Amino acid sequence: MNWIKKVLRIGEKIKTVLKKRPTKEEVANSDWTSCCKGPVLKKDLENHYWVCNSCGKHHRISCRQRFDIFFGNNNYEILKTPIPQDDPLNWEDSKKYTDRLKDARKKTNQECAVMIARGNINGINITAGAINFDFIGGSIGSAEGEAIIYGVQHAIDNKNPFIFFPCGGGQRMHESPIALSQMTRTTLAINELKKNNIPYIVCFTDPTAGGITASFAMLGDVALSEPNSLIAFAGRRVIQATVKEDLPENFQRSEYVQECGFVDLIVQRKDLREKIGSLLSILLKKNSDTNTALSDETSKNNQQSTKIAS
Ligand SMILES: [Zn+2]
């Protein structure tokens, strides 16, 4: 046998080994996933809020899993948000955008990447939103923008604090300018929350980047983060190539971002409910005190002007 035949045989062997590797779908449907110490049962991870017992990695979770942890299992109501027309630009690259949407909906059982829910923590009614990274990388298009604005409006109408768990790569290129306009729209919506004196708490999750960081996600009254989450605008390699300097190991991780002052507090997933609950008690008390003080001041002024008039 000459060397060419040998090489061909090795090639065939490699092919069979590669074929035996499970597909992404098979991994998603399996009972197992992997972390630092190899395979781990999804059930075990779920029992620990999807956080690894050994290395503390906070695994990515869906919106429903997020609400289950935050509000308690099924202790919340998912709100139906408006879904605008799919694919307004008739986008097609290696695959049609409509097909990508169809696949993402089937995979995540969500209509768009953002989900809004209402629930209650410590007797405080809350409107909360989350993004699912599995829905086209958690990117923001028109449906996601509408969902966020719907959530904000719901919070204002019901005088609920608004809590948001962002993640995702930024604006969705398949909707180009329409996706970009969601940065302005969501920013204006958050301004309405502030005008109405409604607390807005953001908890960054891994990874939050691009237009998400550059709009509604950075506008929280309090910015929390799960440990070791990537929080960035441009990627590490782009920045390194621009500034031509070595960047620290934990660059753009929540611990580093906290040192730079963009994150107030890093909170373990298991403690988020309690921490946000106590933050809200403080913020709401402060707001109601301010309101009472303001209305006292106004009534005092009114009394004085009545006296002057009489
Ligand atoms: Zn681990």
Side-chain angles (χ1 to χ4, degrees):
M1 186 195 297
N2 63 29
W3 65 273
I4 299 176
K5 278 187 182 170
K6 261 188 190 175
V7 169
L8 284 175
R9 191 170 283 181
I10 291 168
E12 286 303 314
K13 272 186 186 170
I14 291 173
K15 264 190 198 170
T16 50
V17 169
L18 286 178
K19 261 186 198 168
K20 276 179 191 166
R21 290 185 64 181
T23 62
K24 269 187 182 176
E25 208 163 288
E26 282 170 336
V27 173
N29 293 331
S30 134
D31 289 339
W32 295 84
T33 184
S34 62
C35 197
C36 52
K37 289 193 173 167
V40 50
L41 262 174
K42 284 182 183 170
K43 199 77 204 150
D44 288 345
L45 262 188
E46 191 178 1
N47 290 339
H48 293 98
Y49 309 96
W50 297 94
V51 175
C52 175
N53 243 347
S54 312
C55 67
K57 178 180 172 176
H58 284 52
H59 286 254
R60 289 175 193 161
I61 51 177
S62 73
C63 298
R64 284 189 182 85
Q65 287 165 337
R66 171 68 61 190
F67 297 141
D68 277 341
I69 293 170
F70 187 55
F71 289 121
N73 274 357
N74 300 318
N75 196 19
Y76 55 89
E77 183 194 342
I78 301 272
L79 303 176
K80 194 167 166 41
T81 57
I83 298 293
Q85 183 207 336
D86 284 347
D87 195 15
L89 304 177
N90 291 322
W91 180 284
E92 186 172 350
D93 42 77
S94 58
K95 204 172 167 183
K96 279 186 172 176
Y97 176 39
T98 44
D99 291 340
R100 287 185 193 277
L101 280 174
K102 209 188 285 173
D103 292 348
R105 282 174 182 152
K106 194 176 158 199
K107 184 177 169 191
T108 59
N109 196 21
Q110 288 185 209
E111 280 295 303
C112 71
V114 173
M115 256 190 173
I116 302 291
R118 69 168 167 201
N120 188 295
I121 288 178
N122 298 348
I124 303 169
N125 288 327
I126 290 172
T127 308
I131 306 182
N132 190 343
F133 192 82
D134 280 343
F135 197 106
I136 317 186
S139 53
I140 303 290
S142 53
E144 288 72 17
E146 286 298 332
I148 295 165
I149 293 167
Y150 184 91
V152 169
Q153 190 62 54
H154 182 270
I156 294 173
D157 291 345
N158 296 280
K159 296 190 168 47
N160 287 354
F162 190 56
I163 316 294
F164 205 88
F165 298 92
C167 79
Q171 307 311 109
R172 189 173 297 158
M173 66 170 187
H174 315 82
E175 295 189 26
S176 311
I178 300 167
L180 283 178
S181 70
Q182 306 310 318
M183 290 171 69
T184 322
R185 297 182 76 226
T186 50
T187 302
L188 290 172
I190 299 301
N191 279 350
E192 289 303 311
L193 273 183
K194 309 218 167 186
K195 276 187 206 164
N196 284 277
N197 212 18
I198 286 174
Y200 171 45
I201 297 179
V202 172
C203 177
F204 290 102
T205 66
D206 184 62
T208 308
I212 301 178
T213 330
S215 60
F216 63 92
M218 273 290 175
L219 300 172
D221 302 321
V222 182
L224 308 177
S225 175
E226 288 189 342
N228 203 34
S229 305
L230 179 84
I231 306 167
F233 178 65
R236 181 192 177 98
R237 268 180 300 173
V238 175
I239 295 174
Q240 195 143 8
T242 312
V243 300
K244 298 193 175 19
E245 276 178 29
D246 281 339
L247 300 169
E249 185 75 13
N250 66 345
F251 184 64
Q252 295 180 328
R253 291 286 157 186
S254 35
E255 293 72 12
Y256 178 89
V257 180
Q258 185 186 25
E259 277 173 32
C260 300
F262 288 99
V263 162
D264 298 306
L265 197 63
I266 295 169
V267 186
Q268 298 278 333
R269 191 173 284 164
K270 65 179 170 54
D271 300 327
L272 274 171
R273 177 189 163 90
E274 192 196 328
K275 189 62 78 181
I276 291 178
S278 45
L279 274 171
L280 284 177
S281 322
I282 298 166
L283 287 171
L284 288 170
K285 190 167 185 290
K286 197 179 158 206
N287 283 346
S288 62
D289 279 355
T290 318
N291 288 340
T292 321
L294 281 174
S295 61
D296 283 354
E297 196 65 31
T298 321
S299 62
K300 220 187 273 173
N301 287 343
N302 285 346
Q303 276 172 6
Q304 274 177 354
S305 43
T306 326
K307 268 183 201 167
I308 293 164
S310 59

